[in-house]
Amino acid sequence: MEPLMAILVGVMFATALYMMLRRSIVKLIIGLILLSNAANLLFFTAAGLERGAPPLIPLDAEGPLGVVADPLPQALILTAIVIAFGVLSFALVLINKAYQVVQADDLDQMKDTDT
Amino acid sequence: MPQVAIPVLLPLLMGAISLALHRHVAAQRWLGVIGTGALLASTLWLLHTVWHEGVVVMHMGDWEAPFGITLVADLLGAIMAVLTGIMGFATAVYSTATTPRGHEHFGHWPLLHLLLAGVAGAFLTGDIFNLYVWFEVMLLASFALLILGGERAQMEGAIKYVTLNLFSSMLFLSAVGITYGLVGTLNMADIAVKLADVDQPGLVTVLAVMYMVSFGIKAAAFPLFFWLPASYHTPPVAVSALFAGLLTKVGVYALYRVFTLIFTHEVDFTHEILLWGAGLTMLTGVLGAAAQFEVRRILSFHIISQIGYMIMGLALFTPLALVGGVFYIAHHIIVKTNLFLVAGAAYRLLGSYELRDLGGLYKHRPFLGFLFLVPALSLAGLPPLSGFLAKFLVIRAGVEEASWGIVFIALLTGLLTLYSMIKIWGEAFWHGTPEHVPERDVAALTGASPDRDLWKLYLPIVGLAALTLFIGLYAQPLYELAEASAKQLLDPQIYIDAVLGEGSS
């Protein structure tokens, strides 16, 4: 499972970077979305995959029996997803507004503030 | 001990109350000034406690480290928190007179509080994932502050700012994930202990470089600084001043934390990269500034070059260099914010930030000229101001290490900084008013007549200038603080023992 996930994460990072390097601001946002998902998946994979073993403790036991999945990365990724959702919604509104002001879906038109 | 939680909770609470009062701008203003004042007081209390009792630790929800989230204030964290308080208070007072009314209606004040909460949280957390969360709190607040007003330049600047900062956050998150996979913990003290036993030096070094790149983007270090000069001059000047003082320094702080506590196993490699980065950051920043003719852009580029000195202190990694680095951060935050505030006052009086439109300020407002010279000459490093001592310390550390290249670059950068400051002085203050400039309706441009509430602009400027003079003339207290904090940074065991308890490693 891990090698497959590693390849998937790599492909997602590569796609995200490719999209971010395009001129269109819509593609830029798609790249950012892919990037955040790639980072979450990387976190998930790096923390160790465990299949079909929820971290539940039986009523009469002190701790989990046998090997169980680590719940902490899942909680962390959930946090990261929520944060990324908030930030990306902001970014989406921002490019919409920027499109209205600049009247172009082209990063090359947005160089007034460059030096 | 609760002292360490108050500087984080207080601005969050103030932000929430400000949001509830969104119809009452006057009440929000008062809350802004009082809230940031209280933040300053609480951070001073924290520093006092840390100075007398050592590292202050608080486990959230009473979950023992390393299982819960821990708030930790060592001396560096406490010093940074105090600087956050000072900057928050100064810019809040300044904002009451300069922020356009529309911005206040659309949430300037709640965002200001949230930004301070994010910054204070980042300085005081002892958990690396929590650091990521505080980064995001700070970034979201700064995104919104950056685009309030919705002008074209703001949109364009914000797209670059948002993209590069998100990229850096995602890199940071990936690095945190790999860290967790390697050592199975997120508590920074615990990571430091366990990473020493990890038998994969290659992977650890890759991890170190991932953190370096991620924090390097946030600190605007070479070659990842392009978002900064593209965006920092676009919001109202009080917001620019706060960003200039605090945001990049959060990145610098994170570099200091991670590369003194966690990644000290391969100093020859990581800190060598940092040293090269520092030198190039100084040079590109100061050369970029030399080509600019807009006051805020000149100042933005100087943020970059000054970041180089701070990273140089970390990269040399000797006791004196770290003292110099901490001293430099403290000096720089005060001075840089003050320069932006002076630029805002000049804008209020003449209605422009362009050097070719400015002039004659010294003739009409000699006091403002003096107030500009104090931080400007301090930035360039002239005695007896704070910048002289800060530069002296880091450069002396470079001389002791016989790193002549970086010493030369640091001295050259100082000289070129002086050139830029003299350029602003000559064009905006010393020259007469340029003749070709048509009469501007300054009041219409700035939304207020020049003299209305001018004292509210002068008050924070005078306060910060006095602080600069004080540090320059009586450096002993800050030097002792910086020295003690460098001692803590060089001996990570103090931090680790404070968080995990004695003898745990």
Side-chain angles (χ1 to χ4, degrees):
Chain A
M1 197 64 185
E2 271 91 351
L4 272 181
M5 289 293 279
I7 293 169
L8 176 68
V9 169
V11 170
M12 280 181 79
F13 267 112
T15 323
L17 286 178
Y18 176 71
M19 288 305 248
M20 285 174 73
L21 292 174
R22 306 288 293 271
R23 274 164 59 181
S24 153
I25 47 176
V26 177
K27 286 173 183 151
L28 175 73
I29 292 293
I30 295 174
L32 283 175
I33 295 171
L34 281 172
L35 190 70
S36 81
N37 288 328
N40 287 335
L41 275 181
L42 174 68
F43 200 136
F44 192 56
T45 314
L49 299 173
E50 200 64 50
R51 207 167 170 180
L56 299 174
I57 303 172
L59 263 183
D60 50 352
E62 284 283 304
L65 306 172
V67 180
V68 293
D70 186 352
L72 187 67
Q74 301 181 15
L76 297 177
I77 292 166
L78 189 62
T79 315
I81 289 174
V82 173
I83 292 175
F85 178 77
V87 174
L88 290 170
S89 342
F90 174 86
L92 212 56
V93 176
L94 173 67
I95 63 156
N96 180 36
K97 183 84 182 157
Y99 178 73
Q100 287 173 1
V101 176
V102 182
Q103 291 292 328
D105 172 34
D106 183 358
L107 277 171
D108 279 4
Q109 305 278 322
M110 303 193 179
K111 50 191 179 189
D112 282 7
T113 61
D114 280 351
T115 44
Chain B
M1 277 182 274
Q3 288 95 320
V4 63
I6 297 173
V8 184
L9 293 178
L10 194 71
L12 278 180
L13 183 73
M14 291 296 162
I17 299 175
S18 291
L19 205 58
L21 293 171
H22 71 279
R23 284 179 192 285
H24 308 282
V25 171
Q28 286 187 35
R29 278 187 198 159
W30 278 107
L31 207 63
V33 174
I34 295 168
T36 50
L39 174 67
L40 174 58
S42 73
T43 53
L44 285 171
W45 187 33
L46 175 67
L47 182 62
H48 179 81
T49 316
V50 175
W51 179 248
H52 287 286
E53 296 173 24
V55 180
V56 176
V57 177
M58 188 179 179
H59 302 297
M60 293 292 105
D62 226 3
W63 288 88
E64 285 295 317
F67 300 110
I69 290 172
T70 314
L71 291 185
V72 189
D74 66 344
L75 267 173
L76 176 64
I79 293 171
M80 300 303 284
V82 169
L83 290 165
T84 311
I86 298 174
M87 290 312 118
F89 187 53
T91 46
V93 172
Y94 197 87
S95 286
T96 55
T98 55
T99 308
R101 220 171 154 75
H103 293 224
E104 292 185 307
H105 279 294
F106 283 104
H108 171 83
W109 292 104
L111 289 168
L112 191 73
H113 288 299
L114 289 180
L115 182 77
L116 291 172
V119 173
F123 289 149
L124 295 177
T125 185
D127 183 287
I128 197 119
F129 187 79
N130 200 230
L131 181 64
Y132 165 75
V133 174
W134 286 121
F135 265 157
E136 295 301 304
V137 171
M138 175 188 97
L139 281 181
L140 257 182
S142 70
F143 292 166
L145 276 174
L146 192 62
I147 59 152
L148 272 184
E151 285 162 26
R152 176 173 177 147
Q154 287 181 305
M155 293 299 149
E156 295 183 7
I159 285 185
K160 291 153 198 167
Y161 180 87
V162 168
T163 308
L164 277 166
N165 276 293
L166 275 184
F167 179 74
S168 130
S169 294
M170 291 309 146
L171 202 59
F172 183 20
L173 185 64
S174 310
V176 172
I178 296 172
T179 311
Y180 185 76
L182 268 182
V183 294
T185 180
L186 293 166
N187 186 299
M188 288 199 259
D190 206 25
I191 294 174
V193 173
K194 291 191 172 141
L195 209 61
D197 302 331
V198 172
D199 196 23
Q200 289 167 295
L203 193 53
V204 174
T205 306
V206 169
L207 203 55
V209 174
M210 281 179 85
Y211 281 114
M212 192 191 294
V213 173
S214 159
F215 296 147
I217 295 177
K218 295 209 191 292
F222 179 87
L224 310 159
F225 59 82
F226 292 99
W227 56 271
L228 191 149
S231 60
Y232 266 28
H233 62 283
T234 57
V237 73
V239 174
S240 288
L242 193 60
F243 283 17
L246 288 178
L247 295 195
T248 47
K249 259 54 75 183
V250 178
V252 175
Y253 164 82
L255 280 174
Y256 266 72
R257 177 62 71 221
V258 168
F259 283 95
T260 56
L261 180 65
I262 300 176
F263 298 109
T264 49
H265 63 289
E266 213 181 339
V267 175
D268 286 345
F269 179 71
T270 49
H271 290 60
E272 182 73 23
I273 301 180
L274 282 173
L275 195 62
W276 278 92
L280 291 167
T281 307
M282 282 185 230
L283 264 186
T284 44
V286 84
L287 291 176
Q292 296 297 321
F293 287 93
E294 208 260 34
V295 177
R296 291 174 301 174
R297 286 196 183 190
I298 297 175
L299 296 176
S300 296
F301 270 103
H302 276 296
I303 299 175
I304 299 166
S305 75
Q306 307 282 313
I307 293 289
Y309 286 96
M310 299 170 207
I311 298 179
M312 173 182 162
L314 173 64
L316 290 169
F317 208 56
T318 62
L320 187 67
L322 284 175
V323 175
V326 174
F327 198 101
Y328 208 105
I329 295 174
H331 138 76
H332 169 83
I333 291 180
I334 295 167
V335 165
K336 180 55 75 178
T337 302
N338 204 8
L339 280 170
F340 270 91
L341 296 182
V342 173
Y347 179 71
R348 167 65 73 89
L349 295 170
L350 295 177
S352 177
Y353 289 109
E354 293 289 342
L355 280 182
R356 63 167 177 274
D357 298 342
L358 293 172
L361 270 173
Y362 184 68
K363 194 173 172 192
H364 301 293
R365 310 272 173 172
F367 186 49
L368 188 67
F370 170 72
L371 289 177
F372 171 76
L373 275 186
V374 171
L377 296 181
S378 177
L379 190 78
L382 261 62
L385 298 156
S386 59
F388 168 71
L389 286 157
K391 280 202 172 64
F392 177 74
L393 286 169
V394 282
I395 290 173
R396 164 115 199 233
V399 171
E400 284 181 4
E401 284 292 287
S403 309
W404 302 113
I406 196 83
V407 168
F408 174 72
I409 292 176
L411 290 170
L412 181 71
T413 306
L415 194 66
L416 289 171
T417 309
L418 187 62
Y419 161 71
S420 281
M421 291 302 122
I422 293 299
K423 184 167 77 182
I424 300 179
W425 168 256
E427 295 289 332
F429 290 87
W430 200 244
H431 259 253
T433 314
E435 286 161 11
H436 68 276
V437 179
E439 278 293 312
R440 270 185 307 269
D441 189 356
V442 175
L445 273 171
T446 59
S449 67
D451 281 310
R452 187 172 145 257
D453 285 342
L454 202 59
W455 65 274
K456 285 185 189 163
L457 275 67
Y458 274 31
L459 199 64
I461 298 175
V462 170
L464 293 177
L467 210 53
T468 312
L469 273 173
F470 175 77
I471 294 174
L473 295 173
Y474 186 58
Q476 195 63 20
L478 183 61
Y479 180 79
E480 276 174 16
L481 267 177
E483 197 180 23
S485 70
K487 213 171 271 170
Q488 286 185 353
L489 289 176
L490 276 175
D491 185 6
Q493 203 58 41
I494 299 174
Y495 186 93
I496 293 168
D497 284 343
V499 175
L500 300 176
E502 293 284 336
S504 56
S505 49

